[in-house]
Amino acid sequence: ALGINATNATEKEIPKVYYHFDSPALESRKKENYQDHHSGTDELKRLKIVVHSDFSSRQERLLPVNMNRHKTSMDVYTTPVGTTQAIMTLRGQLWVAPVVDDDDVSVFRGGGMNLPPRRYRVAPGAMMGGVVRILAVRHVPNPVEDDESDRRLAVMLATDPLTETAEHAFYLIETQAGVTPTFLDMDHLPKPFLGGHVGGGSTFDGGLGSVKPGTFVVSPCGRRMAWSDTDGRVMVMNMPQYQDLQDEDEAAYQQLPKENELGEPMVGDEVELRFSPGGRYLAVEHNARNQFTVISMVDLGDPVGDEKVSDIQVGRIVQATPSRFNSIAPYWGKSGKGANEVARDATLSAMLGSPEPEDVSDVLFFLSDRDIQTDVNSPWGTRQPMPHFQSNFGVFALPMSAVNATDDEGHFTGGGVSELSIQEELDRQGLIKSLLSVAKGRKLDEQETALSGVFGIAGASFDEKKRRYRRLQEAIESVTADSESNDTDTTLRPAEFPSDMDIDFGSRDLSFARQAYRIANIPEGDYSDIVCQTSDAGALVLIEEVDGQSILTMMKSSPFPSDNFEAVQLTPKGFKLDSYGLSTSRDHLYLGFAPVREVVVVPTTVAGVTGVILDADLEQNKVDADGIHLSVWPALEYRQLYDDAWRMLRDYFYDPDITGIDWPLIHERYLPLVARCTKREELDDVLTQMASELSALHVFVYGGEYEQPQFLDRNLQSASVVGSFGAVLKRTPEWKGYKVLSIPEHDPDFSLLDGSEAVFSPLHDALSVDTDDNVANLKPL
């Protein structure tokens, strides 16, 4: 606070400033000729004094969970007893929470046990909050191959506290409710199967390096995983449980080639990785040499071996999109024709006892901006508006056929003219309806002609058909009875691994890529991602940008052979889509909404996805994170943050040799100061000093969780704002003060900072100071 005399008065005329702290009442001081410096009146105003202590930074902190702020990674899975759970990283910790309805939270149920749905911590232990930072987690589908175990597995990417420099490491952990938390204390730490103290360190020295958490994926079959790192490497491996590892062994992994077969760089600095359902193929979204985004498909070899999962054998790396356009968001799905055939053959299999159809992906969906249009009519004028292009993407499909497939077995039935087979398909659909009617009580002999004509099964035993239909009738009655029962299914389900076709890529050119076609009945739009395809009707769920907000949009497909799509926006009114994701198994979609801070989980079916807009209050199928508090010990966290920052500078710096600096020595130099830090601001100072050793631009230290001395009081916050320069002053000893040389004025043409309020110098009007006035005797409080 400053006592300021803005006139040419003498020192005796300067009013005094009086602050009264002892009396609870505000007393008038008119007789004493006291004047308040702020209001200009003779009435005293109490100053709000806040004494802030940093002792809390030396003790445990309990932070209530904010899902929108603290959630950094998430996956969803169905337990062996049929319930749904979410595993998530919350501010560097790993938790599991059930997916429940609002009215189910207090209900005692679940697998025959008299227990409510549980929320529990997986890592770290109660007294270890801050010793490790868990960066990402992925559920491992199909963790068991029998029906006798309820074990659930997950792979987590975390910093290893057994390393001095917070090296990245992968851990395979169990996540069922009865398991003991990992990282319980420093004497009971899990062993990583990759990285950390086993094989971590700089890639320059042969270590794992720094993994990019957003690129880490596990295949939907649960047999393989992939990721990229800060050095641009794309890495793949079989899951460790499918490798023959000894106690001291590190799991084997390998780097993909840096170019696809057409010579385009496949560098992982900016990539998106998506496995095919069976784990054989990996779609890689990456930049071409001309900086356009392209998609390449990597053949990793069939994981199905004779007695175990086969080792990865990298085959062809086929460029699936031309480099003349941007192509993004690959998704392995089914064409309308393929989905219809699988559903049809599955029904026939159940009725006739024939082998079940092979349910594989036969198309790769993606977004591409191939229809380029500019919204600038002319590049002329005073400001020379250059042509720019609208960010419109169309939905494309790349059909895939199996090796040695005939025309009738391939994607394009009838030698490339699918229309020729529509009538036959309609006949088959009508036949299936007739068969289902027979199974419900009609006489079989009325359908004998249709059976013989369409499926060519003449000569088969009519009595055998009737026996099959009786079995089908019994199966239908059994399914109906099960659907009417409210009992929870406690039967453990055996693992079922999805499969992939042996794709015929053709010649080594763009002929395979140019088989792609735009789905014309889905209008172009500002799409940014393909989230999923529903498992029942083949509808595509997209992320569309509308008025600066992300909107969940479903393109609902009509029954085959129609190729029409209906757009349905799925974001409930009054809410904003804050985050989204697809489970590793591709069975669930999770959606985070603001401002309610809720995460909703829905199955990837048309009914499940459309149910989001029917739940106006977001009370159904939400992740029950209420009451979760995160235990954090600042002293442990400060050390972890310091080690993590040092490692990030090592692995992100443009020169692997750190310009010749002994970087490990720098770590040792500043480490003793970390133990003396009592608050985050002091840690920031240490980090700044450490980073300054690089003498590099664009290296900053900012952000983080700081204590709030103002306790969110807006008046106190505004009073604590650092002031700006109000004038240019020159000291004048003869006046015992400063001469005002200039006062910044607002620009009359640019007077509004945010469109609503003019910005002036603090001295412009408040003190009526003019240039050449004297500001004497600046007195600090």
Side-chain angles (χ1 to χ4, degrees), residues 128-325:
M128 297 284 283
V131 74
V132 62
R133 182 163 71 105
I134 301 172
L135 303 165
V137 63
R138 298 291 182 269
H139 171 67
V140 179
N142 305 313
V144 295
E145 299 179 14
D146 55 57
D147 56 357
E148 298 178 355
S149 173
D150 64 347
R151 185 175 65 151
R152 299 165 227 164
L153 297 180
V155 176
M156 71 177 186
L157 171 66
T159 57
D160 188 352
L162 290 180
T163 59
E164 290 290 329
T165 51
E167 299 297 338
H168 280 188
F170 286 107
Y171 298 85
L172 183 66
I173 60 173
E174 297 186 27
T175 62
Q176 61 267 22
V179 71
T180 302
T182 56
F183 298 94
L184 194 59
D185 54 53
M186 293 302 294
D187 295 327
H188 298 85
L189 297 178
K191 177 186 175 182
F193 65 83
L194 188 62
H197 68 276
V198 176
S202 171
T203 58
F204 193 63
D205 299 324
L208 178 64
S210 291
V211 176
K212 289 195 168 183
T215 65
F216 167 45
V217 291
V218 171
S219 63
C221 65
R223 293 177 288 196
R224 286 173 173 168
M225 55 184 278
W227 68 92
S228 71
D229 58 29
T230 55
D231 287 338
R233 306 182 304 170
V234 180
M235 318 297 289
V236 294
M237 65 174 291
N238 281 344
M239 296 296 293
Q241 66 268 34
Y242 300 117
Q243 299 187 28
D244 296 327
L245 301 178
Q246 303 299 323
D247 291 340
E248 302 300 325
D249 289 347
E250 183 182 32
Y253 64 101
Q254 62 185 95
Q255 178 183 354
L256 294 182
K258 294 184 178 181
E259 294 182 347
N260 63 22
E261 63 183 23
L262 296 185
E264 293 291 358
M266 201 168 63
V267 181
D269 56 344
E270 294 182 6
V271 299
E272 182 176 351
L273 308 176
R274 292 193 178 181
F275 272 105
S276 60
R280 175 169 180 173
Y281 301 100
L282 180 67
V284 183
E285 175 190 316
H286 60 97
N287 290 332
R289 295 185 185 278
N290 60 3
Q291 298 305 304
F292 278 100
T293 305
V294 298
I295 299 171
S296 294
M297 298 169 63
V298 185
D299 186 355
L300 303 175
D302 192 348
V304 180
D306 295 334
E307 298 181 355
K308 65 174 186 177
V309 174
S310 299
D311 295 335
I312 291 177
Q313 299 291 334
V314 178
R316 294 185 60 181
I317 304 179
V318 180
Q319 186 168 320
T321 62
S323 60
R324 299 170 59 194
F325 323 98

Side-chain angles (χ1 to χ4, degrees), residues 16 25 40 66 219 282 524 560 571 577 620:
K16 296 181 180 180
N66 181 328
S219 63
L282 180 67
E524 290 187 331
F560 185 83
T571 302
L577 184 64
Q620 309 297 317

Side-chain angles (χ1 to χ4, degrees), residues 28 35 67 119 142 145 152 161 173 187 193 209 280 298 340 590 619 641 663 675 687 722 728 732 760-761 768:
S28 175
Q35 184 177 4
M67 291 291 286
R119 303 179 296 268
N142 305 313
E145 299 179 14
R152 299 165 227 164
I173 60 173
D187 295 327
F193 65 83
R280 175 169 180 173
V298 185
N340 176 75
Y590 54 88
E619 295 180 345
L641 286 169
W663 197 237
L687 295 177
V722 177
V728 178
T732 56
F760 298 90
S761 162
S768 300

